[in-house]
Amino acid sequence: MSKVDLQGIRQVVCSYLRRRNYTSAHEGTFEVSAEVSVDEMVKRAELSARLSQSHVLTVNNAPPDLAAYDQQFSRFKNWVSKLSDDRARTELGQLLPLILSHMYLDLVGASSGSRVNNYKFLKRHYTGNISNSNLIEDLLALGTCSDLLGRPSVELFRSEKSEVSLARETLNQLRAYLISYESAQLLQVIGQWICLPDPSISGMTAEVDSDNEEGNMSKQNSEALPEPPEEANAAKDLAAALATVKESPVQPMPMQAFFVANSKTKPVACASLDDDASVVAAGLESGLCEVWSLTPDTLATGNAHQTLIGHCGPVRAIAWYLDRALLSSSVDHTIRLWPNETLNCNAVYRGHNGVVHALSICRQNLYFSSASDDLTLKLWSPEFCHPIRTFAGHMKAPTALQFHRNGLYLASGARDNTVRIWNVSDGRTVRLLSGHEGTIRSVAFHPDGRTLVTAGDDMQVRLWDVGEGRCRAQLNVGPGGASHLAWSKDGRCLAAASSSGLVKVWDLGLGEAVLVNSTRLQTTALLHIRYRLNHSLYVVGAIP
């Protein structure tokens, strides 16, 4: 029998699976198991759905507001009633009494407004197309009593999230509505009190169980299976089948958006997600930093939200120092370190003589760098409160920073329209990249370290060959330019976002850039983007 190149076939299979977003397939480690238990299949499906599920979560630092509740619930109820799809109208109708009940109880618990006005809000909206609710009937019967939240029925209702199953099409319509309209308080109520499971998970569990039962019956009643074909023929058939699959751009995973609400009264200047996308931190114009837990787990301090007080001027940059601490910089010329264990400031770094606009963390040697209005970059070690190296060369203030993956180089962009790559060990400029016609807002090294992508106010994203120092390609991002850049973990997709909320994603794996996604989010300011798990893109923005 002829020798079969199994390794070559394995590599072809892995390449095909990765293009189809099967992120667990890696060359050299891909194995095919003949027997996979039903439980294992369900766990894998749940994990995959959880990682790729498109959802919107709002973190809100504002108390419940009767006027906002009234406006947003009225608009949502009216939108549901006018849906042309009967199924969607019926399914979303299940949410109305739940949302109304929680809004009313939130108002009562926060002592927001008078009890009489809160009661009128509940009574006015419990009409028309809202289905009967025993809980709301009880709440109306209790009137404006003072011990409402202590009632057993209310405590039971608020003890856990209410689960509502929606069809995939209905869930997509709901997400589109929540993103398209100003629904900060509505988003908060849904995120806090209502669970909307991904329909693909529950459906898959039943499907797999059914298939398993049928499989067991067929095993009992069927004759012995025929022998598999010879290895050489099987390999040949597989190679032929894969050859028929046309090379195509990747299909990006759904975008996950996190919105910081109440940005009108507490303007947000910057934000950052941690590596697990479980905690978001935001820097405010007031000088405060806000931290929220995005999962059921609380912060190490025991709270789901914490305010960090320390800066005496607006915060301009915020970044997670691996899984150890939070770094923030400000107009007050300082950088502060907030350890995860306490989120209390235990170090203040001074050395700049101007606003500190940007921060970057080096994962290889735990250094971090900063960029300031004083025209310098500085290199810091967390155990020293003074800089260990200063980089000078930009003619105007540097505004963007990122370390190379090897930790030996640092890229910076500035208001002088240039990009510089620095040798970290001696502070020399090793590359000077010019071509932009506006302030550089973001720089990002490709995961392989050979390409640097830059973006700014001139509406262009440029890809530079780091070794040769030349521009290899230009991408147009439209009016306003791009203020944030991010590479997917495999380096195939590039995302660029403007502060106005436009997000574009290109696939660069086919030899040329192919635009695969262009989305405009309804946000007052887009603050942060990052990739996790290949093509899963996370976005942080601000809404009123």
Side-chain angles (χ1 to χ4, degrees), residues 216-490:
N216 291 335
M217 294 177 61
S218 63
K219 284 183 180 179
Q220 297 174 1
N221 301 325
S222 64
E223 299 179 355
L225 294 174
E227 291 294 325
E230 293 185 0
E231 189 178 36
N233 293 333
K236 186 182 299 184
D237 293 342
L238 177 60
L242 291 174
T244 63
V245 179
K246 184 178 180 180
E247 188 79 34
S248 60
V250 298
Q251 297 301 315
M253 286 184 172
M255 188 182 304
Q256 301 199 33
F258 302 94
F259 292 125
V260 180
N262 198 32
S263 62
K264 279 189 176 179
T265 57
K266 293 185 178 180
V268 183
C270 52
S272 180
L273 276 171
D274 68 344
D275 287 345
D276 297 328
S278 61
V279 181
V280 63
L284 308 184
E285 292 289 344
S286 63
L288 300 176
C289 295
E290 304 271 0
V291 181
W292 294 270
S293 173
L294 303 180
T295 66
D297 300 327
T298 58
L299 304 171
T301 59
N303 303 314
H305 166 248
Q306 187 159 338
T307 299
L308 313 183
I309 303 174
H311 287 293
C312 57
V315 180
R316 285 292 172 257
I318 198 163
W320 290 99
Y321 184 68
L322 306 183
D323 58 352
R324 303 182 180 188
L326 180 68
L327 282 170
S328 61
S329 66
S330 169
V331 172
D332 63 11
H333 305 179
T334 68
I335 303 166
R336 291 179 177 263
L337 182 74
W338 316 80
N340 286 354
E341 293 78 12
T342 62
L343 287 176
N344 292 324
C345 179
N346 73 346
V348 180
Y349 303 94
R350 293 183 172 89
H352 282 295
N353 295 317
V355 178
V356 184
H357 287 288
L359 297 169
S360 181
I361 314 299
C362 180
R363 296 179 175 271
Q364 284 67 30
N365 50 30
L366 304 184
Y367 291 152
F368 65 91
S369 62
S370 57
S372 170
D373 267 350
D374 61 11
L375 308 188
T376 68
L377 317 176
K378 293 188 183 292
L379 184 69
W380 309 79
S381 182
E383 62 266 26
F384 301 111
C385 289
H386 56 80
I388 59 178
R389 184 159 289 111
T390 297
F391 306 83
H394 283 296
M395 303 305 293
K396 293 184 179 180
T399 53
L401 284 174
Q402 192 182 64
F403 276 100
H404 191 275
R405 57 175 295 182
N406 62 16
L408 301 178
Y409 300 98
L410 175 67
S412 64
R415 290 174 179 163
D416 60 9
N417 305 349
T418 67
V419 177
R420 289 176 180 261
I421 301 179
W422 310 81
N423 187 320
V424 172
S425 61
D426 58 17
R428 292 184 302 109
T429 298
V430 295
R431 290 285 184 274
L432 175 60
L433 311 177
S434 59
H436 280 286
E437 297 179 358
T439 298
I440 310 300
R441 297 297 179 185
S442 184
V443 297
F445 280 106
H446 188 277
D448 67 9
R450 299 175 182 176
T451 301
L452 176 68
V453 60
T454 60
D457 293 343
D458 60 355
M459 300 186 293
Q460 297 293 320
V461 170
R462 290 175 176 257
L463 285 81
W464 305 85
D465 186 301
V466 173
E468 299 181 5
R470 63 178 180 87
C471 180
R472 293 194 292 105
Q474 297 183 48
L475 307 174
N476 183 32
V477 292
S483 54
H484 304 277
L485 297 167
W487 287 101
S488 60
K489 297 301 182 181
D490 62 2

Side-chain angles (χ1 to χ4, degrees), residues 145-211:
C145 64
S146 58
D147 62 340
L148 182 63
L149 297 180
R151 298 281 175 161
S153 59
V154 174
E155 289 184 340
L156 178 63
F157 177 63
R158 304 273 274 189
S159 63
E160 60 182 4
K161 287 188 175 184
S162 303
E163 184 171 314
V164 178
S165 297
L166 303 178
R168 181 179 298 279
E169 295 77 11
T170 304
L171 193 58
N172 289 337
Q173 290 186 63
L174 175 61
R175 290 167 180 159
Y177 173 85
L178 294 175
I179 292 176
S180 301
Y181 293 91
E182 293 184 2
S183 306
Q185 302 276 5
L186 180 63
L187 274 167
Q188 183 69 12
V189 172
I190 293 176
Q192 184 176 1
W193 297 111
I194 300 175
C195 176
L196 301 174
D198 192 321
S200 63
I201 299 178
S202 57
M204 176 138 195
T205 305
E207 182 180 341
V208 170
D209 289 341
S210 175
D211 290 346

